[in-house]
Amino acid sequence: MNTKFDELLDFPCDFTFRVMGVASETLPDEIISVVQKHAPGDYSPEIKPSSKGNYWSISVCVVVTSKHHVETLYRSLSDIEEVRYVL
C-alpha cells in the first residue's frame, strides 16, 4: 500500500476502522478476532444495519502505532469473506 498515514497522523493514536459487510451473526466476532491479533485489547464494536438489513457497518476504534500497523489492519480486515469494504 502506498498511503500517507505517516504524514497525516501522529502515532500512536486512536483510529476508527469502519467495516462494511454482509449481515451475519459471526461478522462482529471475526472482525474483533482480526483486530485482537494485531492490537490486543478490549473492543466494543458499534453495529449499524443497512436500511434493508442485508449489510452491517461495524465501527471499531483501535490504537495504532505506525503506518504499517494501519495498513496491516486494513489488509487483514479486507480478507474476511463477508467483508465488502473497509474504510
Side-chain angles (χ1 to χ4, degrees):
M1 287 182 131
N2 188 15
T3 63
K4 296 185 179 188
F5 288 122
D6 53 341
E7 297 172 17
L8 301 171
L9 302 170
D10 292 323
F11 295 104
C13 65
D14 290 341
F15 193 92
T16 300
F17 291 88
R18 179 165 294 149
V19 182
M20 301 169 94
V22 176
S24 163
E25 292 299 320
T26 61
L27 184 58
D29 291 335
E30 290 180 61
I31 291 169
I32 296 303
S33 176
V34 167
V35 171
Q36 288 281 359
K37 287 180 189 175
H38 301 287
D42 187 28
Y43 298 100
S44 298
E46 182 181 326
I47 303 168
K48 293 183 181 178
S50 66
S51 59
K52 293 183 181 178
N54 296 328
Y55 295 94
W56 285 352
S57 171
I58 301 173
S59 299
V60 61
C61 186
V62 180
V63 175
V64 292
T65 57
S66 68
K67 170 185 171 178
H68 177 73
H69 196 198
V70 174
E71 292 170 349
T72 300
L73 279 160
Y74 266 112
R75 279 192 292 274
S76 298
L77 290 167
S78 295
D79 288 342
I80 298 171
E81 186 176 336
E82 293 88 3
V83 170
R84 298 300 178 254
Y85 301 101
V86 180
L87 308 172

